[in-house]
Amino acid sequence: MSIHLIKPSNRKSTTPKTLVSRDCGPAGCEVDWLTSRRLDTEDSIEAFTDFSLEQGWGDGLPLIPPTDARVRLFLSENDRYPDELIARMPDSSECTVEKIVINAVMAGAPADSLELIIAAIEAITEPDFELYGVNATTAPVYPGFIVNGPIRDALKIPYSYGCAGGVATKANAIGRAIRLIMRNVAGQVAGVTTQTTFGSPGRLGGLIMGEWEEKSPWAPLAERHAGIKGNAVTAFSTIGTMNILDTTSSGALAFLEMIGKSVSYAGANCFSPAMEFSEMTIGINPICAEIIARELPTIEDVQEVLWKYAAVPADWFQRLHLNQLEAQGRIREDGKIYATPEPKDVILFVCGGLGGLHALGLHSFGSSLAQTKEIATAAPAHEVQAAE
């Protein structure tokens, strides 16, 4: 079986071409570029937060009022036009730069994170990411993001200790901004447009981390996944973080066996007959990565070994499950069902602190495939206009 046979390559793109044509910049002419509806409310965080909940925009946490002044200030630090169309969401709603900036302001995201947020939105609206399913499903899934390149340090995206959550940087606000866009532009409302049974903390704050590429014995993820060097973001779907601890093993094969077996359990989406295929994203601790690379210097060999262990015996499943899995051709000659169709579908990256031998399991939703996008270099609007 090959993933090339089951990839949803016929999905229709929802990302349109840019429709905008301008002869002056946001601050260079008399036109009011902001088109969003204005509402009167108090310019205090407490009052606006209450107001936003009444209007259905809020996520329950304090929000910064996106006043004209705050939105224009954010835009002035970038060279994007507010009505530039970045993507269409699954419900065909238009995600413009203006809508992105409004939600970024409310979340408290820094102005210099705009290009990262735009690249993240472009990634999750690629057809093969299957954002409609990720947003609307009964699963607790949400988009996660891995950042490569110098922008990690510029925006303080964590990739060392606590990279998957808990580090006090504005990366949390960036992740929240993307989540607000899911809520306010893509219209994701629990019990209404999404049937997520339990939800997840990740549906509030998001998940955004970097790869510790300087500690990785392999090429950066964005380069391996999409041939992009430098600043880039890889979006993947995940149903949450899973810790894998192994302080006993001492060699590459033993570590990979523990990781592979740990992420394999019958109720995982990747083993469900409801999902014909899946990817698996796994973060490897830098210390563990160094040990593994001594025996397996190529990432393909690491994926191959890990993939062989990320499988479960078919007899773990009840007959009704087996009937469906057999019909999908997922039971291999060795009597096992594998988490992913091929070793290449195990997505590996290096991250985490140096205090212990842990790995990070990030199970996929299933029919959502990771997407990598280059992050553009931002230039403040006034510098662009001065140069022109």
Side-chain angles (χ1 to χ4, degrees), residues 111-136:
D112 52 0
S113 67
L114 178 60
E115 293 298 340
L116 168 56
I117 298 174
I118 286 175
I121 296 298
E122 289 174 336
I124 63 176
T125 51
E126 281 290 335
D128 282 351
F129 190 82
E130 224 273 270
L131 184 60
Y132 179 84
V134 171
N135 273 0

Side-chain angles (χ1 to χ4, degrees), residues 57-317:
W57 312 324
D59 58 7
L61 295 175
L63 290 172
I64 297 172
T67 60
D68 272 26
R70 291 190 177 105
V71 171
R72 292 181 193 282
L73 178 61
F74 196 108
L75 282 166
S76 72
E77 295 299 318
N78 292 277
D79 60 348
R80 293 274 187 171
Y81 291 104
D83 60 349
E84 183 179 348
L85 194 55
I86 299 302
R88 289 190 187 278
M89 292 305 191
D91 63 350
S92 296
S93 58
E94 295 181 346
C95 188
T96 62
V97 169
E98 181 173 346
K99 290 179 179 178
I100 290 173
V101 171
I102 290 171
N103 284 283
V105 168
M106 289 198 294
D112 52 0
S113 67
L114 178 60
E115 293 298 340
L116 168 56
I117 298 174
I118 286 175
I121 296 298
E122 289 174 336
I124 63 176
T125 51
E126 281 290 335
D128 282 351
F129 190 82
E130 224 273 270
L131 184 60
Y132 179 84
V134 171
N135 273 0
T137 179
T138 56
V141 63
Y142 56 94
F145 301 96
I146 301 165
V147 181
N148 281 111
I151 198 170
R152 294 164 303 148
D153 290 319
L155 292 177
K156 296 184 171 53
I157 306 294
Y159 49 80
S160 177
Y161 296 91
C163 56
V167 180
T169 79
K170 288 191 176 182
N172 297 313
I174 298 170
R176 188 188 177 205
I178 297 171
R179 293 306 311 161
L180 285 173
I181 293 167
M182 291 299 100
R183 178 184 300 274
N184 296 325
V185 184
Q188 187 184 62
V189 180
V192 181
T193 53
T194 171
Q195 298 302 309
T196 180
T197 306
F198 297 114
S200 166
R203 284 198 167 204
L204 178 62
L207 175 64
I208 183 166
M209 68 183 92
E211 180 175 25
W212 199 344
E213 50 195 62
E214 295 81 0
K215 290 282 187 183
S216 174
W218 309 293
L221 172 61
E223 186 176 337
R224 288 185 277 116
H225 195 246
I228 299 174
K229 297 181 179 180
N231 293 332
V233 61
T234 297
F236 60 101
S237 71
T238 182
I239 56 177
T241 61
M242 172 187 186
N243 185 62
I244 303 160
L245 171 65
D246 185 0
T247 57
T248 303
S249 297
S250 58
L253 300 182
F255 277 125
L256 294 174
E257 178 179 351
M258 177 62 80
I259 295 170
K261 287 181 174 177
S262 297
V263 297
S264 303
Y265 60 95
N269 277 31
C270 56
F271 296 113
S272 170
M275 298 291 175
E276 293 189 69
F277 60 92
S278 180
E279 292 178 328
M280 176 75 71
T281 303
I282 295 175
I284 298 179
N285 174 279
I287 299 173
C288 192
E290 182 180 350
I291 295 171
I292 292 172
R294 287 179 200 149
E295 296 178 47
L296 300 170
T298 68
I299 193 75
E300 290 81 9
D301 288 341
V302 179
Q303 290 171 302
E304 178 83 26
V305 172
L306 213 161
W307 178 78
K308 287 182 178 177
Y309 286 114
V312 296
D315 60 12
W316 279 19
F317 291 91

